[in-house]
Amino acid sequence: MRRSKPLYFLYLAISFLAISLLLFIVFSRLIAYFKTADQVAGRFYALGQKAVNYRPVFQWDLDLAAGRQMEEQTLEKITDHYLSSYYYHNKLLAYGNKVGLKDHFTDRSRAKVLQAAADMSQEGQKTHSTTISHDLTLDFYSEDGTLVVFKDRVTSYFQLYQEDEFILSDYDTAQYDVMLLLEDNFWRVRHKIRSDILVEPGVKVKSPCIEVRGDQFVYDDKPFTSKGINYYPAKFPWDKFWVNFDLELLKKDFNIIRSAGFNTVRIFIPYEQFGGPDLNPTHLDNLERLLDTAQEYDLKVIVTLFDFFLGYQTENWTLADRHVEGITSRFKTHDAIFAWDVKNEPDLDFDTAGKNEVKEWLSFILKRIKGFDPNHLLTIGWSSPEFITELHEDVDYYSFHFYRDPTELVPYLEIDYDKPLLLEETGQHSYSAWFYPFRKTRKDQAQYLSEITGIIRTHNISYALWTLYDFKNIPDNVVGTLPWRKGIQENFGLIDKRNRRKKAFDLVKEFNLGYE
Amino acid sequence: MTGILMVAFWNTQASPRVKLLSKDTLVAGQVEEILYQVDRDEPLSLRLVVLHNFGVYSQKATVNNCMVSFKTSSVIWDHSGRFELTLYYQDKVLSKNIITMVPGTSYAPEVEAYCGPKQILAGGEDFTMVIGSSLDSLDNPWPVGTEITYRYVFKSHAKLRTAKTKVLHSYVRFYSDNESGTPVISVAKDNSSRNEFDITIYPNHPKSFKLSYDRAHPYADGKQITTIVTNEIIDTLGNRIADGSMVYFEINTSYGEIMQAMGTTVGGIADITLPAPAKAMDWSVRAYIEDYSQSNTISIPYLPSVKPFAIQWTKDQQLIIGPVTGFLQQYVPNYTEMEVMICADHTEVTRTIYSREGMAFLDVGEMGLEKGTYTVTVGCGGQIKGKTIMIK
């Protein structure tokens, strides 16, 4: 009994602490729950939802219009209502959702639209579709301002499904003759008739940029080999880069990169941070400063678009289209750009977003960039060499990432490719921690890079290493929160956290200076 | 599908060859089947994908006797326009064709027409626009170049116009006549179907006009009605201006007051009715139609409504006023207001008294005024009389 007394005391003390802790957690959660503002906005039907999800590019030609002089405000309203009719019609074809049709089609044309959709649905068919661009030519505007007739050359894309099984997808360029009537303050579609198409190829302006001849890059009529490095500043990796943009720091880093014998840097444009379809002008200006600085230091830049992007659904394509239009058309003649890498490691999204969806989106966006910027090269930064030649028709050169054993790289390089190859990311970390069994040293890192550069030299390919710096703070959305995963990602640099050059730095510098 | 397409073009060797037997121009709503000839007599399942006005439509059918026939039960075959047909065998494209669906023109069309603006001004500068198109029984517009007839009928004359349709529409302008009224416009195709519109030609801008007035007597009795009326207002083309046009009247009194009243025209004439003022004054009246025209200015004098009356000063220090008679020799009504002002060098007292049987009294002695000489002024209905009194 005497012995058990301290035991009882201990038991009571532990129970008391456990119950207190439990109560503390429960109450804190409850307080947090009641204090957190409700997400009220999400419960309402979003006004102007179409503007959020659907923004095809359009342009009007008013020169040959007969009738009343078109007013700017009316044209804006006509455009808005007419494009909305596509948004709601596409919703009908995809989900059988009839919302919005009454506002955008007159009774007679709505009957046609609904019957055609019902016939499709009867066959078990549906389409996911979006229009990409509208070239509109106004033919006629009535004197009382209630009727317009115009031609619309539409480029659209659709995916056809039967019984929820994907059948096929295609682009469609068609011209429609359209009559709209103003009823109850809505411009409604009265007639929409597919007519003979007139497709005019876009005008391309050529500027001195890197080109592809056979399996080689050519710049200024001379073969060009990219000796590149993936770049974030040491203190501001990933999403911290653009919000902490510092030109002086950039110049310092570019100086180091150039002095280490590199001629290319690869950077990333985070989709959401750059404003999605509504591009952030400050970030765009900073991108221009970065490109100008690269030019100053005689560096070429691989601009990786759509970082942390997941909007692969057809309905959202136009948003990505606005994003890419804003960036690529602005810099289409910038000499510092080596290429647009349309997406970093999209193959990692195959499982979550669907391989078909991702590939269709990539193909679409590559075609669109080619239209906005015909001058620069295009590629996709596949995470794995297995996907090198996916969508080979749409890219100008093949890019892939490689972090496996160097000997496994050789078979992929021995294949005879029809386009140049760029090993866009490779490297080895030098992370070691007592709890991490697969630790690597700086020596291991140098060894790995020595082997990789040897293979690069043998097969004479372009490359870009991962990365210049060891990072101090890696955001959670990059590799998660586990300490060893973050630890690995933090230690891939050629320069360590105390700004000392690792052994790998000198090795790579030596390689670069002797590699052409 | 770009990938699928590419593969398909390279593998045509292994694919059946097909030929579209249906004509490349068909009449909407009269298509029985879409027929392809196939170079194999195997039960191959082929898929037809049709791009039409309102989306994509796909059908499957099996080859039978070297033929494959696709049913055209869907409503899409009732629409006119350019149809793009792609025939697939598995993932391979066998043929791509274009069929133009034309509207059925063997029957008289339905005419669809729109007209506006419906209200225009006379004078030939303003116009209404009439838009017409003809449709077949399945709501498909007839082809470009269809002639539409527009007829404008007004009073004893008519205008006839024809216009050929451009894309989905044709239109004409009918300019207004010099006369106001309600013309009828009809739109027809070969007299088969007719759409009618009434439009209104309103008179153009009004010309200057004149004012007159009417009243029972010229006295400012505060009760009698005065009617101020315009002459018939017409526009520059001689049309009587539209009923309901607003005419604003502005009245300036000889006391510097400004009054405003508004009347609307009926039969080109606007009027206002106003009670006469309670005291004698002159009115100067002018009328105008905003932004367009105005009248001459007329003057309306109002005479005092009572005749000169007597004031007596009695020994017991009372003022007896009256008898006060009106313009018809009658006593002024009971409770007619009178203003009495009693003034000396440094004193001024005002009283309001009311008449009874034409007379009014004021007991000055009870007012407690100092002794002396005072001037008394009495005003009633614009008539003013004075008297000097001595308070003892």
Side-chain angles (χ1 to χ4, degrees), chain B residues 142-163:
Chain B
W142 274 35
V144 170
T146 304
E147 202 170 76
I148 308 277
T149 311
Y150 300 84
R151 186 185 293 269
Y152 171 101
V153 181
F154 183 43
K155 295 185 179 169
S156 58
H157 71 279
K159 300 178 205 170
L160 191 68
R161 302 260 189 285
T162 55

Side-chain angles (χ1 to χ4, degrees), chain A residues 201-212 324-325 328-334 337-340 366-378 396:
Chain A
V203 182
K204 296 187 177 183
V205 185
K206 200 70 191 157
S207 74
C209 294
I210 293 180
E211 294 170 80
V212 161
V324 90
E325 179 188 21
T328 56
S329 56
R330 172 160 170 178
F331 299 113
K332 66 182 174 188
T333 53
H334 205 295
I337 294 174
F338 179 101
W340 300 109
L366 284 160
K367 286 184 178 74
R368 295 298 291 168
I369 300 177
K370 221 31 172 186
F372 299 131
D373 172 9
N375 307 324
H376 293 111
L377 303 180
L378 293 176
D396 294 314

Side-chain angles (χ1 to χ4, degrees), chain A residues 66-68 89 93 105 108-109 112-113 115-116 119-120 123 125 127 139-144 147 149-151 158 160 162 166-174 176-179 181 189-197 360 363 367 392-394, chain B residues 1-6 47 49 51-60 71 73-76 79-84 86 88 91 96 98 100 110 112 114-118 127-129 131 133 135 138-141 166-171 173:
Chain A
R68 174 170 160 167
H89 188 201
L93 298 176
F105 293 89
R108 281 194 183 184
S109 67
K112 289 184 188 178
V113 166
Q115 281 168 358
D119 284 349
M120 271 187 77
E123 298 275 335
Q125 295 166 7
T127 52
D139 284 335
F140 174 71
Y141 179 34
S142 73
E143 187 61 28
D144 60 351
L147 185 150
V149 178
F150 57 86
K151 293 187 188 75
F158 66 88
L160 178 68
Q162 183 133 24
F166 175 79
I167 304 295
L168 55 91
S169 64
D170 202 356
Y171 292 89
D172 175 30
T173 299
Y176 292 91
D177 296 331
V178 185
M179 180 192 276
L181 299 179
V189 176
R190 170 65 187 97
H191 291 296
K192 195 173 110 185
I193 292 171
R194 221 175 143 96
S195 60
D196 291 335
I197 49 171
E360 291 288 339
S363 172
K367 286 184 178 74
H392 66 279
E393 280 204 325
D394 293 322
Chain B
M1 200 202 64
T2 25
I4 297 171
L5 269 178
M6 191 200 67
R47 178 184 289 278
V49 174
L51 296 170
H52 59 94
N53 291 349
F54 298 108
V56 191
Y57 185 73
S58 167
Q59 269 176 290
K60 283 181 102 170
K71 285 183 289 175
S73 55
S74 168
V75 72
I76 64 162
H79 304 162
S80 65
R82 176 190 161 106
F83 281 46
E84 290 184 33
T86 312
Y88 290 90
D91 287 343
K96 277 183 170 252
I98 288 161
T100 306
E110 176 194 346
E112 181 167 299
Y114 304 92
C115 174
K118 295 268 182 70
F127 63 86
T128 187
M129 184 181 263
I131 301 141
S133 64
L135 307 168
L138 296 165
D139 197 42
N140 296 308
K166 294 170 191 165
V167 177
L168 303 178
H169 76 289
S170 67
Y171 72 94
R173 292 185 177 101

Side-chain angles (χ1 to χ4, degrees), chain B residues 102-113:
Chain B
V102 294
T105 51
S106 51
Y107 294 94
E110 176 194 346
V111 170
E112 181 167 299

Side-chain angles (χ1 to χ4, degrees), chain B residues 93-340:
Chain B
V93 175
L94 300 185
S95 84
K96 277 183 170 252
N97 301 89
I98 288 161
I99 289 184
T100 306
M101 302 289 290
V102 294
T105 51
S106 51
Y107 294 94
E110 176 194 346
V111 170
E112 181 167 299
Y114 304 92
C115 174
K118 295 268 182 70
Q119 284 100 26
I120 55 175
L121 291 179
E125 276 184 21
D126 220 355
F127 63 86
T128 187
M129 184 181 263
V130 196
I131 301 141
S133 64
S134 48
L135 307 168
D136 73 1
S137 58
L138 296 165
D139 197 42
N140 296 308
W142 274 35
V144 170
T146 304
E147 202 170 76
I148 308 277
T149 311
Y150 300 84
R151 186 185 293 269
Y152 171 101
V153 181
F154 183 43
K155 295 185 179 169
S156 58
H157 71 279
K159 300 178 205 170
L160 191 68
R161 302 260 189 285
T162 55
K164 289 188 172 172
T165 54
K166 294 170 191 165
V167 177
L168 303 178
H169 76 289
S170 67
Y171 72 94
V172 296
R173 292 185 177 101
F174 284 115
Y175 285 84
S176 63
D177 289 291
N178 283 343
E179 279 184 273
S180 62
T182 311
V184 176
I185 295 171
S186 69
V187 187
K189 164 69 188 155
D190 302 336
N191 285 327
S192 59
S193 143
R194 198 173 286 274
N195 248 301
E196 284 194 349
F197 303 97
D198 286 350
I199 65 160
T200 310
I201 301 179
Y202 284 110
N204 214 309
H205 305 327
K207 287 207 303 192
S208 301
F209 53 94
K210 286 186 174 164
L211 292 182
S212 56
Y213 65 94
D214 184 32
R215 57 183 177 178
H217 57 74
Y219 300 103
D221 66 350
K223 291 184 293 190
Q224 196 66 44
I225 296 296
T226 305
T227 304
I228 304 169
V229 62
T230 67
N231 66 341
E232 185 182 326
I233 306 172
I234 54 169
D235 72 1
T236 46
L237 302 159
N239 296 302
R240 182 192 290 159
I241 66 160
D243 285 353
S245 300
M246 286 192 282
V247 182
Y248 294 91
F249 293 80
E250 195 180 273
I251 300 140
N252 289 287
T253 71
S254 49
Y255 287 95
E257 296 156 342
I258 299 172
M259 295 187 285
Q260 210 170 34
M262 191 202 79
T264 50
T265 59
V266 176
I269 294 169
D271 61 10
I272 54 167
T273 48
L274 296 167
K279 56 185 178 184
M281 61 175 73
D282 286 339
W283 282 3
S284 164
V285 186
R286 185 180 74 97
Y288 56 93
I289 296 173
E290 265 185 331
D291 295 339
Y292 292 119
S293 64
Q294 63 173 354
S295 71
N296 58 335
T297 304
I298 55 166
S299 180
I300 310 176
Y302 285 94
L303 304 174
S305 60
V306 294
K307 298 212 157 188
F309 49 83
I311 304 170
Q312 291 175 49
W313 177 241
T314 62
K315 286 180 181 170
D316 52 353
Q317 306 212 2
Q318 278 200 348
L319 274 177
I320 300 170
I321 302 156
V324 184
T325 53
F327 52 88
L328 295 173
Q329 306 301 336
Q330 84 284 21
Y331 289 140
V332 293
N334 287 348
Y335 295 102
T336 298
E337 197 178 275
M338 292 176 194
E339 292 280 331
V340 182

